[in-house]
Amino acid sequence: MKRTILITALIMAMAHISFAQGIESSMKFWDEGRLTWDDFNKRNTDGYEKSNISTSFYRYTDTQKYGNLKVIRTKLRTALNKESTWVRTEYISDKLLRYNQLVFDMAEATRQEMQNEIDVNLGKYSYEEILKFYRDKYNVKLQELREETMEGDREDIILKYEQEVAGQLAKETEDSVPEFDLNNWGYSYHIGFRSAFMTGKSSMYLKPTYGISLGFDITYKRSMLSLYMGVGSGKIGADMDMIATIDGRETEVTWARGKKYSSMETDLIYGYSVIDNGFMRLAPIIGIGMNNLSHKTDSETNTSMTGMHLLGGVDINWKLLRTASITYTPWWGGRTYGETSLKTRIFVARSNLMQGFNPYSINLAIAFDLYGRGMK
């Protein structure tokens, strides 16, 4: 059964490749060179038209890199359909070929206009809407050309159109980074490594903790609201006596030197990006949260210290890869933007854990961050 499915899938894939190759073999793309009479079917029929050139826009998905920016977009190529392109043999001449080349060039100029429209407005308008608008525009120009030049007989008019189209083609800038505007709202997820270092006298009792961090951020323009969670563990550096509530009674317990303790924190953080460019985003941050330190004593009694803390610091996102997707799909406009970053979060926190014990800590988190945002 599995073998049958595999063979069927392979046959379908080969058929798809063969079909695509067949379509492309019946086309001549504008960027492959100028037209020759070999691109036309020869006819000996009667009629008022001397020739007919059939053009279309071949759509495909293209990926390009500009530094750390990857752009995925729907692109077009101007194509001549050889099967439906023809000339009546009695009218074959250099003058008529020049006229048909101008028609092909006009199609390419229209494609370039449509490509710019797709880069900027795909999503606001569907691909079909953009295609129809520029197809109609091209057909109007083509009809004007046919009438004014008498289907290629007026070489002076052809020269005027050639100069106009040449100016349009000279403006081609597709190798440059496409311009795009981002929506105001964005979001990110991050997971990584975190550590906390007590300062002052408290560092004698509580050694650094190491663990993992998780976070979810919502952004609006340059503002950020972050839900941050961290868990870790460390060692007790010196015996520490405290009063703990056990079975409803206050009991003196000792956190013994050399034993492990666990830490857990949950923070709500606000930040504002003062720097946000193609390579980094830097935001001072402030926040409030809950900190919990826990330890199981030698008598197997769970004890903990819990309190609020205030924090202040800085977020730095080093942008490893930015991805702008401007692609066509039937079900989605496809205009999205994302960043893959290395997030560094450094902050100082003051925790109110118990009476007389309000330590400061220096906290460091390094995380893998995925950020997403829509395009206007």
Side-chain angles (χ1 to χ4, degrees), residues 228-256:
Y228 172 80
M229 294 161 283
V231 294
S233 63
K235 285 192 174 182
I236 301 169
D239 289 351
M240 185 168 58
D241 297 324
M242 67 175 67
I243 301 297
T245 301
I246 302 174
D247 297 329
R249 294 180 300 172
E250 290 188 347
T251 305
E252 184 174 323
V253 297
T254 299
W255 284 22

Side-chain angles (χ1 to χ4, degrees), residues 35 37 40 49-52 86-103 146 150-153 155 158:
L35 297 178
W37 287 124
F40 292 71
E49 286 186 308
K50 302 175 184 177
S51 63
N52 178 72
W86 54 266
V87 60
R88 290 168 61 188
T89 53
E90 66 267 31
Y91 290 107
I92 291 177
S93 66
D94 291 343
K95 185 167 61 174
L96 185 57
L97 185 61
R98 178 184 177 187
Y99 166 80
N100 281 289
Q101 180 65 51
L102 176 58
V103 173
R146 181 183 296 274
M150 300 176 65
E151 200 175 350
D153 284 342
E155 293 188 274
I158 288 180

Side-chain angles (χ1 to χ4, degrees), residues 60-340:
Y60 65 101
T61 300
D62 179 68
T63 301
Q64 293 183 350
K65 285 287 294 286
Y66 306 89
N68 70 340
L69 174 63
K70 179 171 72 172
V71 178
I72 305 170
R73 57 177 169 170
T74 294
K75 292 196 71 175
L76 304 171
R77 293 177 76 187
T78 304
L80 174 80
N81 187 338
K82 293 183 179 181
E83 292 183 355
S84 53
T85 294
W86 54 266
V87 60
R88 290 168 61 188
T89 53
E90 66 267 31
Y91 290 107
I92 291 177
S93 66
D94 291 343
K95 185 167 61 174
L96 185 57
L97 185 61
R98 178 184 177 187
Y99 166 80
N100 281 289
Q101 180 65 51
L102 176 58
V103 173
F104 203 22
D105 292 344
M106 287 174 60
E108 170 63 14
T110 302
R111 183 207 64 82
Q112 292 181 12
E113 287 185 272
M114 189 160 64
Q115 183 69 62
N116 293 333
E117 185 78 18
I118 288 172
D119 289 344
V120 175
N121 288 321
L122 184 61
K124 293 180 184 177
Y125 306 102
S126 69
Y127 174 79
E128 287 77 11
E129 289 174 315
I130 295 173
L131 176 62
K132 183 180 185 306
F133 176 82
Y134 283 97
R135 251 304 178 190
D136 291 345
K137 184 178 178 180
Y138 167 71
N139 287 333
V140 169
K141 287 183 178 180
L142 185 57
Q143 185 61 32
E144 291 175 353
L145 175 68
R146 181 183 296 274
E147 293 175 356
E148 291 185 31
T149 64
M150 300 176 65
E151 200 175 350
D153 284 342
R154 292 286 305 276
E155 293 188 274
D156 55 330
I157 303 299
I158 288 180
L159 178 60
K160 183 190 73 171
Y161 273 95
E162 285 176 336
Q163 292 172 343
E164 179 184 329
V165 172
Q168 294 173 339
L169 296 177
K171 296 177 182 178
E172 172 67 7
T173 57
E174 286 187 27
D175 288 337
S176 61
V177 181
E179 296 182 3
F180 49 85
D181 294 323
L182 300 180
N183 289 336
N184 292 329
W185 292 94
Y187 62 92
S188 73
Y189 301 90
H190 42 93
I191 181 172
F193 164 85
R194 51 85 67 184
S195 60
F197 304 86
M198 296 294 180
T199 63
K201 188 177 179 180
S202 60
S203 64
M204 296 172 52
Y205 297 98
L206 299 174
K207 296 302 181 182
T209 61
Y210 303 95
I212 63 171
S213 66
L214 298 169
F216 174 71
D217 301 347
I218 296 176
T219 63
Y220 179 75
K221 295 183 178 180
R222 287 180 173 264
S223 293
M224 173 200 69
L225 191 64
S226 176
L227 179 63
Y228 172 80
M229 294 161 283
V231 294
S233 63
K235 285 192 174 182
I236 301 169
D239 289 351
M240 185 168 58
D241 297 324
M242 67 175 67
I243 301 297
T245 301
I246 302 174
D247 297 329
R249 294 180 300 172
E250 290 188 347
T251 305
E252 184 174 323
V253 297
T254 299
W255 284 22
R257 179 174 180 263
K259 300 295 184 178
K260 285 188 176 182
Y261 74 98
S262 300
S263 68
M264 182 174 64
E265 65 177 293
T266 303
D267 302 320
L268 187 64
I269 297 172
Y270 172 79
Y272 185 85
S273 298
V274 294
I275 298 175
D276 190 357
N277 55 38
F279 302 98
M280 69 173 294
R281 181 167 61 248
L282 186 147
I285 58 173
I286 56 173
I288 186 171
M290 182 74 71
N291 196 16
N292 174 270
L293 305 181
S294 61
H295 169 65
K296 182 177 286 189
T297 64
D298 291 338
S299 60
E300 296 298 312
T301 301
N302 290 315
T303 59
S304 65
M305 297 182 286
T306 302
M308 302 291 293
H309 67 201
L310 299 174
L311 63 91
V314 64
D315 263 11
I316 305 175
N317 278 53
W318 305 99
K319 300 180 183 182
L320 306 177
L321 176 65
R322 299 179 295 141
T323 303
S325 179
I326 312 170
T327 55
Y328 164 81
T329 59
W331 56 87
W332 178 249
R335 294 177 60 82
T336 58
Y337 173 81
E339 295 174 355
T340 302

